[in-house]
Amino acid sequence: MVDRDPDKTRQALLFAAFTEINQNGFQAASLNNILKETAVTKGALYHHFPSKLELGYAVVDELIWGNVKESWVTPLIDVDNIIDALLSMIDRSIEYRNEDNICFGCPLNNLAQEMSPIDEGFRERINHIFDQWRAAITDGLIEGQANSIVKKTISAEASAYFIVAAIEGATSLAKNAKSVDVLRTSLQGLKEHIQTLRK
Amino acid sequence: MVDRDPDKTRQALLFAAFTEINQNGFQAASLNNILKETAVTKGALYHHFPSKLELGYAVVDELIWGNVKESWVTPLIDVDNIIDALLSMIDRSIEYRNEDNICFGCPLNNLAQEMSPIDEGFRERINHIFDQWRAAITDGLIEGQANSIVKKTISAEASAYFIVAAIEGATSLAKNAKSVDVLRTSLQGLKEHIQTLRK
DNA sequence: CTATACATACATACTGGTCGGTATGTTTAT
DNA sequence: ATAAACATACCGACCAGTATGTATGTATAG
């Protein structure tokens, strides 16, 4: 980094930190590795972020939240049929995976598992993202009930919890098994469940 | 440890390592903390285990597998009605949780998330446990189909994948939310799904 | 000129792991 | 029976390496 473009430097650090964290976890993520990857010096890093912890927080607030929003929240906003939207969202998440990236799992869940018992700052930030995600599903289901697309007998909130849980669980299993097939098979049950919510 | 009881020393190390790992993850687990906790010296530890890695493997193979077997495998062996067995197994896992232990999540899933992309030894061991667990569910469902307790139209294997995924996902969400209610709500959908497998 | 952006060298704490040595127990030879 | 030989269990100081973080300096843009 010689170009003296602070915004670019910051973004480069964030992205490298995201990758390093996603591969090794936050605690084992090495600042030196991040610096090596970006060719940024330690002084520059500590100019942009006061500590490793704050760098991690920024990764969650900016990069991870951006990813979740794009993949799991925006696709559910203002859709005609929430059931179809959920199903195609799940299909896209399967199509996105291949044998090379399946092993990294869900960045949000990875960090959640590692850091939520240790650091309250991480936990709150991650929990907020889960809340937004789940709220998007809940709202969609409620609207679907109003539009006679979704059964009125089900609890939208409970269904949203279950859907998020099943997606995260399936991603976890597939990560551990290093298998897209495991992801597909695990999510098949979820898709069938979602079909039963249809009016 | 002055009592010169090698088996007791080994078990104490394993248990302390399990706790330390469950709270901090494997990489951040400190051998010195484990030694402090058990009052075992470093020499003694390295007498029993050749490396930190092998200590971690032993925790998985012995302690974690023991827990999973007791809570999730044995309860499904030789049962009259697999559907009822699954439902009460899930209920027990909810009852076991309280506001103090909910934040630790599932030890198996914790380790899986952290270590499976980094270390193949961990991944294989953890995957083996998941396999045993899933196999117990699959076998139960197949037997249930033979005994006309479970619908013959469903795929026992796919259902087993989905059930494990949903349980792990729900435990993860609850861990992050620090809430038994989140666990209960998330698993409610799973219980309803399991009911639909009944013939 | 001054604040911002970055560079370099260093401080400090902690990590897993090693190594020489000791204490206790068990086997074996006479 | 008993001394010698050996094995197991454990001790704790110490090592090299690495971690994050800091102190101080320089270059540059406005």
Side-chain angles (χ1 to χ4, degrees), chain A residues 175-178, chain B residues 57 60-61 65 108 111-112 115-132:
Chain A
K175 168 182 176 177
N176 195 248
K178 283 211 250 185
Chain B
Y57 289 170
V60 176
D61 291 338
W65 165 236
L108 181 62
L111 257 186
M115 296 308 294
S116 78
I118 298 175
D119 183 88
E120 189 65 12
F122 267 112
R123 195 189 70 82
E124 282 170 359
R125 284 171 168 80
I126 291 165
N127 213 35
H128 182 66
I129 297 181
F130 274 123
D131 276 345
Q132 305 266 108

Side-chain angles (χ1 to χ4, degrees), chain B residues 25-71:
Chain B
F26 175 76
Q27 297 177 96
S30 159
L31 294 185
N32 287 330
N33 279 359
I34 295 169
L35 297 178
K36 211 176 294 172
E37 190 65 30
T38 53
V40 169
T41 59
K42 191 159 274 192
L45 186 149
Y46 275 90
H47 172 76
H48 285 281
F49 302 96
S51 65
K52 185 190 181 186
L53 198 61
E54 289 295 332
L55 172 62
Y57 289 170
V59 167
V60 176
D61 291 338
E62 302 177 37
L63 271 183
I64 295 186
W65 165 236
N67 287 355
V68 171
K69 192 176 174 184
E70 184 190 339
S71 299

Side-chain angles (χ1 to χ4, degrees), chain A residues 13-93:
Chain A
L13 285 170
L14 277 179
F15 183 74
F18 170 76
T19 307
E20 173 81 6
I21 289 170
N22 205 30
Q23 287 175 11
N24 303 94
F26 175 76
Q27 296 177 98
S30 158
L31 294 185
N32 288 331
N33 280 359
I34 294 169
L35 297 178
K36 211 175 294 173
E37 190 66 30
T38 52
V40 169
T41 58
K42 193 160 277 192
L45 186 149
Y46 275 92
H47 172 74
H48 285 282
F49 302 97
S51 67
K52 185 189 181 185
L53 196 61
E54 289 295 332
L55 172 63
Y57 288 171
V59 166
V60 175
D61 290 337
E62 302 177 35
L63 271 182
I64 295 186
W65 165 235
N67 287 356
V68 171
K69 193 176 174 185
E70 183 191 337
S71 300
W72 303 101
V73 175
T74 306
L76 299 182
I77 304 289
D78 288 329
V79 294
D80 289 336
N81 189 314
I82 183 69
I83 303 284
D84 294 336
L86 284 168
L87 292 174
S88 62
M89 190 176 78
I90 290 170
D91 281 334
R92 275 198 303 279
S93 84

